[in-house]
Amino acid sequence: MVRRVTFSSPGTGKPEQIATVLEHEIRSGVLGFGDRLQSENELVQRFSVSRNTVRKGLEELSSRGLITTKVGIGSFVTFDGMPVDDAVGWSRALANAGANAETRTLRLEVMQDAELATKLGVDSPFFIAVDRVRSNADDGHAISIERSRLPLSPELEDVPLRGLREGTLHQTLRGAGLVPDHGEEWVDIEMLSAGDAAILDCAPGTAFLRTRRLTRAADGRAIEFVTSLLNPAHFALHLEF
């Protein structure tokens, strides 16, 4: 259970109050030397404030000399050795990385998935399914399959009928005011099923890089859960630490 904090000093800004609460925990021994603070998400819930307010509180705590920030492990996907910055949208990111890709939509419809709804913490089991396959425009060889699941909402309810804005999911989400703020990603290897192998024109059992990515808005609302199968002849996972 998240322990919520009620602020009792109306004349002091919330970032300073957050810093003061955490300072008390450090000086009293609740948090020992070298202990990790709660994550930003946990602090947002605990103090009932925005992520930006939490960050300002941590900056204040750092200025008091009580915490230090270490650069964590960062990871990103590369295409032929070039970083793929999917903050600009997957299609543009691949183009910027030098991929000459063609995209074909396999599925665009409303679906029901109660298990995924529970996993993402959304109330409705209805999602918009957007499945796409990408191939090299020069010789047609497989690049990737992406299966996106968007929680059905009033902002997106007409997408299955009207199609994707400017042909991209990136523009569709932003046109609806849904802007990713943070998220999580998992990476592993998957052997292609017979169905996926047929779509990608590969042999069944071929090893592909699988990523599962969940993006959320600043308020924690789930925006998109996408499972991608990436051809390892082009894609790799790059780690920095």
Side-chain angles (χ1 to χ4, degrees):
M1 178 180 295
V2 176
R3 180 183 55 176
R4 296 187 180 277
V5 173
T6 300
F7 295 121
S8 57
S9 302
T12 307
K14 288 183 178 179
E16 289 77 15
Q17 293 183 59
I18 291 171
T20 297
V21 170
L22 295 176
E23 178 179 1
H24 174 73
E25 293 180 351
I26 293 170
R27 294 192 184 280
S28 66
V30 174
L31 289 170
F33 178 78
D35 285 353
R36 290 178 180 271
L37 293 178
Q38 291 172 290
S39 69
E40 282 190 0
N41 285 340
E42 290 170 330
L43 292 172
V44 164
Q45 294 181 52
R46 178 182 175 188
F47 292 103
S48 299
V49 295
S50 69
R51 289 171 65 86
N52 188 50
T53 298
V54 165
R55 288 170 181 168
K56 289 181 179 179
L58 295 177
E59 289 173 2
E60 172 64 23
L61 196 62
S62 178
S63 72
R64 298 180 188 181
L66 293 170
I67 63 170
T68 58
T69 302
K70 291 184 178 180
V71 177
I73 295 175
S75 64
F76 53 90
V77 172
T78 63
F79 181 89
D80 289 346
M82 297 294 294
V84 178
D85 178 15
D86 55 6
V88 299
W90 193 242
S91 296
R92 180 177 294 180
L94 287 175
N96 291 345
N100 185 18
E102 290 183 335
T103 303
R104 178 165 55 96
T105 299
L106 304 174
R107 184 184 186 189
L108 179 57
E109 62 183 7
V110 175
M111 61 167 287
Q112 187 172 352
D113 190 333
E115 183 178 348
L116 180 59
T118 299
K119 179 178 180 179
L120 301 187
V122 298
D123 295 330
S124 172
F126 293 99
F127 295 83
I128 297 176
V130 186
D131 295 357
R132 292 155 295 170
V133 61
R134 301 183 198 269
S135 57
N136 183 279
D138 295 326
D139 59 17
H141 74 265
I143 292 178
S144 66
I145 291 179
E146 296 114 44
R147 294 186 171 96
S148 295
R149 301 295 179 260
L150 316 174
L152 187 60
S153 64
E155 301 97 324
L156 298 174
E157 61 186 4
D158 64 341
V159 170
L161 295 177
R162 295 180 179 272
L164 299 178
R165 183 174 181 175
E166 299 180 25
T168 75
L169 190 52
H170 178 79
Q171 292 298 331
T172 300
L173 291 172
R174 278 154 181 74
L178 300 174
V179 180
D181 177 78
H182 60 283
E184 302 173 80
E185 188 166 19
W186 302 265
V187 181
D188 56 20
I189 299 296
E190 180 167 303
M191 305 303 177
L192 292 182
S193 65
D196 286 339
I199 294 172
L200 293 165
D201 194 24
C202 296
T206 300
F208 263 54
L209 188 68
R210 181 179 71 162
T211 65
R212 290 169 292 160
R213 183 180 180 90
L214 170 62
T215 54
R216 296 185 182 275
D219 61 2
R221 174 185 179 185
I223 293 179
E224 177 189 13
F225 180 76
V226 55
T227 300
S228 301
L229 295 176
L230 310 175
N231 189 336
H234 293 291
F235 292 97
L237 184 68
H238 180 88
L239 299 177
E240 292 184 346
F241 57 92

